[in-house]
Amino acid sequence: MENGEQLEAAFDATLSQLKELSDPLTRAKAAHRLAGRVSEYGNEFQVVRNEAMNETLRTEQRNATQLAGELGISKGRVSQLVKGAPPERLFLGSGKVIVALAEKLEDRKLKDGRDKRVQGPVIATEDVQTYERLRTLAEEVGLETAFERIPLGGNVHLNRNNLVVICGPRLSPLIEQILEGDPHLRFDKDADGWYLIDRNTGKIYRSPMDEGGNGDIAYFGRLPRPDGKGTFLYIAGIHARGSGGVVHWLNRELATVHREIKVKRFSTLISSRFDSETLEIIESERITPYYRPEGA
């Protein structure tokens, strides 16, 4: 049985189990929850369908007439659907994209404007700027985004679809544990500070910012969710400004990275350089291969 038929069989089995619930209130509650989920996933299914139709035509597995026959729709409808949102949007998500940013402790002024300062949770200005640029990119490919704070301690809910996490491992033990599962790239630290290491080559990447330079290095990957039922996109620079370098790079490479990676797991490093006066990212490049988990 092909994977598509297995998915349909799973839906049929779920519906059968729902109908067999003897208690009417339990049946009503379960049906209500599932109806909401079906509605929620409806748009995501359509995005996946349209992206797959685009890929089928692009790789010449079928022409428009043949694809229409396979799907049981008209050739005109095929043309209408494939002219929708660009397929590379699926790399970011198939529904509203949640972007989670980590809080950290920092001195800040009291709300009444007095000079007295207190220590409280804030989100780095650089991370907010990164979110805004990512939001713009998402909107360009037809996706909505929502901003979410990761509270102090780094306890972020990772078992969700369409999630992007921007949070260094030093701010979240949970993220640190998941990163330890990457056999290729990892964060580490010594007396000179945090750095990234390519475990395949042994090469160490330190941030130019630590020596007064105007550049940074960032980790970028799609990592496994703790529940084993999906993945989330992860971005973290050695310093906060490095995360912006990843989005700068994605603005140029989104279509290419989607063609190569789709929504499969990977990790890579992105180097970026920023203007020393405006602090805007002006250059970015990928400096390692797309590393993949074994067997993926």
Side-chain angles (χ1 to χ4, degrees):
M1 184 183 293
E2 293 187 6
N3 289 338
E5 293 176 342
Q6 290 174 342
L7 289 171
E8 290 184 26
F11 278 118
D12 290 340
T14 300
L15 183 58
S16 295
Q17 292 171 17
L18 177 65
K19 291 177 178 178
E20 291 170 3
L21 292 174
S22 57
D23 179 66
L25 180 58
T26 301
R27 190 164 67 249
K29 287 180 177 179
H32 180 67
R33 287 195 301 270
L34 288 170
R37 298 301 298 275
V38 169
S39 176
E40 175 186 336
Y41 282 116
N43 288 336
E44 298 192 30
F45 287 144
Q46 292 176 33
V47 170
V48 173
R49 176 199 61 193
N50 296 355
E51 187 275 339
M53 290 171 65
N54 267 292
E55 184 177 355
T56 299
L57 295 173
R58 189 174 61 247
T59 57
E60 299 182 351
Q61 292 185 25
R62 300 286 191 281
N63 60 35
T65 301
Q66 293 168 328
L67 181 57
E70 294 274 3
L71 297 177
I73 59 179
S74 69
K75 182 179 176 181
R77 181 60 173 154
V78 168
S79 299
Q80 183 183 37
L81 292 174
V82 299
K83 287 179 180 177
E88 58 266 25
R89 68 181 265 168
L90 200 62
F91 182 83
L92 297 175
S94 54
K96 179 179 284 189
V97 177
I98 305 298
V99 184
L101 305 178
E103 293 182 334
K104 63 178 183 177
L105 280 176
E106 189 172 285
D107 288 341
R108 56 187 174 86
K109 282 187 177 181
L110 292 173
K111 288 184 178 179
D112 62 8
R114 287 179 292 164
D115 289 337
K116 184 178 179 182
R117 293 176 177 268
V118 295
Q119 195 173 62
V122 298
I123 294 176
T125 301
E126 296 91 338
D127 283 343
V128 175
Q129 292 171 342
T130 296
Y131 166 73
E132 290 298 331
R133 294 184 182 103
L134 184 57
R135 180 179 62 81
T136 299
L137 174 60
E139 288 178 349
E140 286 176 356
V141 294
L143 290 170
E144 293 182 63
T145 62
F147 174 94
E148 182 176 286
R149 290 173 174 266
I150 301 173
L152 296 176
N155 187 19
V156 54
H157 176 35
L158 297 175
N159 297 329
R160 296 178 284 173
N161 294 328
N162 305 315
L163 178 66
V164 180
V165 175
I166 302 176
C167 172
R170 62 182 175 274
L171 297 177
S172 172
L174 174 59
I175 292 293
E176 186 175 23
Q177 289 178 20
I178 292 175
L179 286 171
E180 287 175 356
D182 186 340
H184 305 290
L185 302 169
R186 70 173 298 171
F187 280 91
D188 211 336
K189 59 182 176 180
D190 57 18
D192 294 323
W194 285 85
Y195 60 89
L196 282 154
I197 182 169
D198 186 326
R199 301 166 81 175
N200 299 286
T201 64
K203 185 172 181 178
I204 289 176
Y205 296 88
R206 294 189 182 272
S207 173
M209 291 179 68
D210 291 331
E211 297 181 351
N214 58 339
D216 199 24
I217 310 293
Y219 180 108
F220 179 43
R222 191 181 297 278
L223 304 179
R225 289 172 14 180
D227 64 1
K229 296 180 181 179
T231 58
F232 64 95
L233 278 176
Y234 177 71
I235 301 172
I238 296 176
H239 297 284
R241 198 160 298 282
S243 298
V246 173
V247 178
H248 182 274
W249 177 82
L250 268 180
N251 265 287
R252 184 180 67 249
E253 300 291 341
L254 182 60
T256 301
V257 69
H258 175 255
R259 282 197 299 270
E260 294 189 41
I261 303 296
K262 298 291 190 297
V263 292
K264 298 175 183 177
R265 286 174 53 189
F266 75 96
S267 60
T268 191
L269 298 184
I270 305 296
S271 172
S272 60
R273 202 165 63 84
F274 56 88
D275 185 284
S276 58
E277 294 185 3
T278 66
L279 303 182
E280 290 290 327
I281 304 293
I282 54 176
E283 292 179 9
S284 58
E285 64 174 330
R286 180 166 58 89
I287 56 175
T288 66
Y290 294 119
Y291 287 122
R292 304 290 310 283
E294 206 169 305

